[in-house]
Amino acid sequence: MYSLRTHGLCLKDTTLQFPPFVGSNHYKRGNGRWVSPKAAVIPNFHLPMRSLEVKNRTSSDTIKSLRLITAIKTPYLPDGRFDLEAYDALMHMQIVQGAEGVIVGGTTGEGHLMSWDEHIMLIGHTVNCFGGSIKVIGNTGSNSTREAIHASEQGFAVGMHAALHINPYYGKTSLDGLVSHFEAVLNMGPTIIYNVPSRTGQDIPPSVIHRVAQNANFAGMKECVGNERIKDYTDNGIVVWSGNDDQCHDSRWDFGAVGVVSVTSNLVPGLMQKLMFGGKDHSLNSKLMPLIDWLFREPNPIGLNTALAQLGVVRPVFRLPYVPLPLARRIEFVNIVKELGRENFVGEKEVQVLEDNDFILIGRY
């Protein structure tokens, strides 16, 4: 019997079982046959690094009620560090225009281009400055379950209200592996699971979600597969946010989605708020389509980064591998702004066409 006693923790039933020694070359005596070495059986006694304090905690039910969540952009200084002054201005505009939540360090916020130190710092900064006015959802997902758990522990420790978790990408796992991964991270706190097969290379089927949906920390799905999948979930009582701006109007009003996790709301938060709060509005939805189409012709966040720079609300700084849209597209954006009305877009400067040499591209930061 092996007992571990430290700082009040006693695992009396924790037993380390070591294999018998069979020789350095792992051969049985007498017949010379090779025997596979056996690993020690070490129980998993990891305990979640979580607090029981409830003063600033948010329940999953509160997260489930959010209708407009903006996947917030991360702006940069010329040397590639975060431009917190510009970031704070973007956050203020989201709050004033009616966004109820933000995703920090998501795909749009380029979390994949951040170190974990940067990532957690930005989550903590957002909570510290704006957490009383808007729900802060940290993208602490990873294709490594260990990293996802650790980042979520840190995110909740600095005060984020909920976590966003992707399924393991590139090094894909089985359906049972997906269940185990999500069960592990759901222990940390309120969680939105994000399904975007075009980026991960693997769909999260409803069978997986139905197996984890009973967890009290499961807030719902950010779903990018389409409205039929959304209806499948909402018919079964699962909360869903559309992950597609071009479908979110119909997702919300015809297929039961609670709202949208939006990229477009970085630019026109007031119009997206009206689209999610004001009832069916096919006219407004149609007016927004040219902008949405323009934003997503190249992989997000290339269009958004270009647009915000031309609006003068962020510096024209790109962390590689992202580069600005070509000149013809930049001219097209100016015309879209004029058509929708400059007053509907964030910022106060006149929209302008930036030249190629106005942009700063950074590979090391």
Side-chain angles (χ1 to χ4, degrees), residues 42 101 119 172 269 283:
I42 302 177
H119 209 135
K172 298 180 288 187
S283 175

Side-chain angles (χ1 to χ4, degrees), residues 83-245:
D83 185 345
L84 292 181
E85 184 178 353
Y87 179 82
D88 292 350
L90 289 175
M91 286 295 306
H92 277 296
M93 286 182 269
Q94 291 298 316
I95 292 167
V96 169
Q97 295 292 325
E100 297 176 307
V102 288
I103 303 289
V104 178
T107 306
T108 303
E110 301 176 24
H112 48 289
L113 302 186
M114 299 177 189
S115 68
W116 278 116
D117 284 345
E118 287 181 312
H119 209 135
I120 300 301
M121 181 276 282
L122 190 60
I123 292 172
H125 171 80
T126 309
V127 172
N128 184 50
C129 295
F130 307 103
S133 302
I134 196 167
K135 297 304 178 188
V136 179
I137 303 162
N139 172 32
T140 53
S142 172
N143 58 353
S144 161
T145 305
R146 179 184 64 85
E147 279 194 10
I149 291 172
H150 186 61
S152 298
E153 287 175 335
Q154 291 185 319
F156 283 115
V158 300
M160 71 182 184
H161 301 109
L164 180 74
H165 279 283
I166 199 80
N167 52 309
Y169 48 87
Y170 188 71
K172 298 180 288 187
T173 185
S174 64
L175 298 186
D176 286 341
L178 289 179
V179 172
S180 295
H181 176 82
F182 290 131
E183 286 178 341
V185 297
L186 278 164
N187 287 331
M188 302 299 109
T191 297
I192 297 172
I193 294 177
Y194 179 20
N195 187 33
V196 55
S198 63
R199 289 187 181 271
T200 65
Q202 182 182 35
D203 181 32
I204 307 173
S207 60
V208 167
I209 299 305
H210 290 308
R211 289 171 66 182
V212 302
Q214 301 307 311
N215 190 300
N217 284 329
F218 177 71
M221 289 291 297
K222 177 187 174 185
E223 183 58 72
C224 295
V225 165
N227 285 330
E228 291 303 320
R229 175 71 62 83
I230 288 175
K231 188 175 186 302
D232 178 272
Y233 285 133
T234 57
D235 284 349
N236 286 279
I238 293 175
V239 171
V240 186
W241 292 268
S242 173
N244 300 325
D245 282 338

Side-chain angles (χ1 to χ4, degrees), residues 3 8 29 52 60 66 73 260 282 286 319:
S3 295
R29 292 179 180 176
L52 298 179
S60 293
L66 305 178
K73 151 75 176 167
V260 63
H282 293 291
S286 296
R319 281 185 175 183

Side-chain angles (χ1 to χ4, degrees), residues 271 287-288 291 336-345:
L271 295 183
K287 288 179 181 177
L288 286 168
L291 172 62
I336 290 172
V337 172
K338 291 177 179 177
E339 184 68 25
L340 267 178
R342 177 63 183 90
E343 69 278 5
N344 291 312
F345 286 79

Side-chain angles (χ1 to χ4, degrees), residues 235-301:
D235 284 349
N236 286 279
I238 293 175
V239 171
V240 186
W241 292 268
S242 173
N244 300 325
D245 282 338
D246 60 339
Q247 298 177 352
C248 70
H249 173 271
D250 293 347
S251 302
R252 171 85 169 102
W253 302 113
D254 294 328
F255 293 90
V258 69
V260 63
V261 177
S262 177
V263 176
T264 307
S265 56
N266 279 278
L267 298 173
V268 286
L271 295 183
M272 291 303 295
Q273 194 269 356
K274 184 178 179 183
L275 201 67
M276 291 295 100
F277 285 70
K280 286 188 179 183
D281 193 336
H282 293 291
S283 175
L284 175 58
N285 192 47
S286 296
K287 288 179 181 177
L288 286 168
M289 281 303 133
L291 172 62
I292 294 171
D293 177 67
W294 181 89
L295 270 177
F296 294 99
R297 286 185 204 166
E298 296 290 346
N300 181 53

